[in-house]
Each structure stands twice: as structure tokens, then as C-alpha cells.
Amino acid sequence: MTVTDVSIIQPPLVQLNTPYPSGAYLRAFFSQLKKDYPQWAIGSVRWIDCSNALYRSIFSQAGLKKLFSSTEKKAMEKAFHYEKTGKENEAFNLRRYVSQQEQWIRWIPAITDILSGKGRELSHEFVRSPGVPRGYRMENYLAGLSSEPDADDALILASLALADLADYISVVYDSAFELIRYGESAAVSATSMEEIKAAMAAPIMNDFYTPLVQELIAGCDSRRRQLICVSCPFPGTVTAALLTCKLFKEAGMDKVFTVMGGGCVNTDLRDCKESLLAEWVDAFSFDRGYGSYWDFFRHIETLECSQCGTERVPLGIYKTN
């Protein structure tokens, strides 16, 4: 049989404190199938948390440089507009982001290290140094303290720093951006695939997420069949999940089979009959999903053993018993 590599992908954005667990269960399932059914020729099994990868791409020195360089002019124009309309606080905050951009770029590695439990030695400087950038959420927290801040406040301040940056991003770069469930309102309110397609072209999706998926595609062996399992637990992951499938289907590889599963697929997309989905998604995997993938490999085995002349799995919707 042709070797099948399995990629389990969690699109953004879900929880940032730890990987969303569904991928771990699927990886264990496929690894056990690989052991129990060697005749199915399951190759590599990889689990990729693209939610965390997107977060690290944006909140990095390179990511913030890209953001500030592309938004500085718009931020200043918005600040001027806010001033003319009496929104002095909003204008002040935007101007402060721009004036402190070098501090944000310098401190973002320390901020992410503190949140990852690695930056204890920087905690004192982060909460006390006048060279640390400040947003209004951070300032409000510091103003509410009854004593001088200490290293124990660093974790909260680092979380608020990301929230402050997210506010800036949503105002001047991508209005749908949130730290979790990116673009959820767009996905929930969309009445047509055209609206979803528009959301797929949003700045964060285009400038940050698409390059991440393209890196994954570049790492695939085009000589092997690629089973792409995309998790979609919440409405806020629909846009990125569909974009993931679309990019894989358009990558020019002959043997790519894309599957979407997860809570949102089980509920919001269960009765969806939008024909455009079939261009990007070969199958929905309902419920727990294990039976779907079992059927997939059994079907492949039947096709190849019967020497029917094709390895293509028909488009369809698989459902567990």
C-alpha cells in the first residue's frame, strides 16, 4: 500500500496556556493503528498546534516589527481622528503604542518567557523598570495595587501586556483579532461562504497564519498520501480550519485527503450542505471520530488490494457508529 502520513492540526485560536487536548488523543489513536495494522502502511504521525504557533509568530520580535511597520501610519491617522471627535483617551493610547514600539519589540521575548515560566530573573525589572512599555490594562492593574508591585505581579502584568497588544491589533490591523477564538463573531454571524472566504483573507490569516501552513505543506513528502486531520472545536476556529484545508488542497500534491472534526463540526456544521466546502474538505468526521478514520484506512486497503486502478477515496461524510 501507498504510505499514508498523518498530520493532526489544531487551527487558531484556542487556549494558549496548554495545547488543546484533542490532538493528543488522535495521535495516540493513529500510533496504535500503525502498530496494530502494519498492512495499512501508516507513516509519520504528527500533531501540530498551529494555535500556539500563530501566537508565537505574532508575539515575537519579528512579528511585532511587521505589525508596527505596517500599522504606524494608520494608528496615527486614527489617533488624529479620535482627537477631532473628542476621544482623547483612545488617541493617547494609540500614540503611546507607536511611541513605545521599540520597547514592545525589545520586551516581547521577556513577556512570553514570563508567561511560560522561564523569565523569573526578569520579573523584577519587568514590573519596576521605566523602560518597560505600558498599556492601559497594565496601568489600571498597577493603579489598583495597595503596595509597590513585586515579582509576583509579573505574570499578571505579562498577561495584560498581551491583552493590550491585542487591543492595538484589533483597532489598527485586524478587527476580528482576539487572543482566543479568533474571528468567532464572523464565523457565527456568517450567512454565506462568501463571508467566510472574506474572513479567510483577513490580515492575521493572510500575513501570519498562511505562512505557517505553507511551512507545514513544505514539510510533507509529496510521494506519500497525506491525511490532514483538522480540529474545529469552536466557531472561532472555523475560518482557520477551512483555510488550512484550502491551502493543503491547493498545494499541488496528488494524494491529499482533508478531514474536519471536532465540536463545531458535530453541531454547527453537521447539517451544512454548502457545496463550496467540498472543494476544500473531503470529509467531516462526526462524534469522537475514531470510527471515521478506521473506515478511511479500511477503504484504502480495499481499493488497493482489489487493484481497482485508483487510490482516490470518494468524497463523503463519515460517521462513527
Side-chain angles (χ1 to χ4, degrees):
M1 288 181 66
T2 302
V3 175
T4 300
D5 289 335
V6 180
S7 295
I8 304 158
I9 299 174
Q10 177 56 66
L13 273 163
V14 291
Q15 60 200 38
L16 297 178
N17 58 330
T18 186
Y20 196 74
S22 61
Y25 299 131
L26 273 180
R27 181 172 63 179
F29 170 74
F30 284 120
S31 297
Q32 191 64 45
L33 283 188
K34 179 178 179 178
K35 178 181 178 181
D36 293 344
Y37 298 92
Q39 70 271 26
W40 287 354
I42 298 175
S44 64
V45 179
R46 58 176 182 167
W47 171 29
I48 308 105
D49 184 356
C50 283
S51 183
N52 191 272
L54 178 65
Y55 152 74
R56 292 188 177 277
S57 176
I58 296 170
F59 296 106
S60 65
Q61 289 187 321
L64 291 191
K65 284 179 182 178
K66 179 190 290 188
L67 281 168
F68 281 119
S69 66
S70 63
T71 60
E72 180 175 349
K73 180 180 178 181
K74 183 176 180 179
M76 298 305 288
E77 290 173 350
K78 271 187 169 286
F80 179 71
H81 173 73
Y82 284 150
E83 287 173 339
K84 290 182 63 177
T85 55
K87 298 179 179 179
E88 298 294 336
N89 288 337
E90 290 86 344
F92 170 78
N93 283 322
L94 279 181
R95 292 185 186 279
R96 179 166 59 174
Y97 281 117
V98 173
S99 66
Q100 292 186 339
Q101 60 182 286
E102 293 301 324
Q103 289 103 303
W104 282 113
I105 292 168
R106 177 192 163 209
W107 273 94
I108 194 61
I111 291 170
T112 54
D113 279 350
I114 290 170
L115 290 172
S116 301
K118 303 174 184 176
R120 185 69 182 176
E121 68 281 358
L122 294 170
S123 296
H124 288 284
E125 184 180 1
F126 180 64
V127 299
R128 293 176 179 272
S129 172
V132 174
R134 294 283 188 252
Y136 82 96
R137 293 175 187 268
M138 299 172 73
E139 285 194 334
N140 286 345
Y141 174 78
L142 291 170
L145 294 177
S146 58
S147 59
E148 287 295 311
D150 57 30
D152 292 334
D153 295 302
L155 186 61
I156 296 175
L157 278 174
S159 297
L160 294 174
L162 291 191
D164 280 326
L165 283 171
D167 289 340
Y168 176 78
I169 293 170
S170 66
V171 170
V172 300
Y173 186 67
D174 188 332
S175 60
F177 184 77
E178 297 179 50
L179 286 177
I180 58 172
R181 302 185 185 184
Y182 168 80
E184 183 167 52
S185 59
V188 170
S189 62
T191 57
S192 71
M193 283 302 297
E194 292 304 315
E195 294 176 63
I196 295 293
K197 287 174 68 176
M200 289 162 63
I204 290 291
M205 292 291 99
N206 187 65
D207 299 340
F208 286 91
Y209 187 62
T210 293
L212 289 177
V213 178
Q214 289 172 337
E215 286 183 20
L216 296 181
I217 293 170
C220 292
D221 187 340
S222 60
R223 298 167 297 179
R224 297 182 173 189
R225 181 185 296 109
Q226 301 295 325
L227 175 60
I228 311 301
C229 311
V230 182
S231 174
C232 189
F234 311 115
T237 60
V238 168
T239 298
L242 289 174
L243 179 57
T244 302
C245 293
K246 178 177 182 288
L247 291 170
F248 268 95
K249 296 300 285 186
E250 294 176 349
M253 292 183 288
D254 293 334
K255 303 171 184 176
V256 176
F257 193 83
T258 57
V259 183
M260 278 177 57
C264 186
V265 172
N266 290 331
T267 54
D268 299 77
L269 298 179
R270 196 176 194 97
D271 299 316
C272 180
K273 295 180 173 60
E274 175 59 59
S275 60
L276 187 58
L277 285 178
E279 294 185 19
W280 309 326
V281 185
D282 291 315
F284 287 151
S285 178
F286 293 135
D287 305 318
R288 293 181 68 188
Y290 301 134
S292 307
Y293 295 116
W294 176 283
D295 288 346
F296 172 85
F297 283 105
R298 287 294 301 272
H299 191 75
I300 289 292
E301 181 182 30
T302 300
L303 283 177
E304 295 198 1
C305 289
S306 65
Q307 297 181 342
C308 64
T310 178
E311 295 181 357
R312 183 178 182 277
V313 179
L315 295 182
I317 296 179
Y318 294 86
K319 183 178 179 180
T320 58
N321 294 325

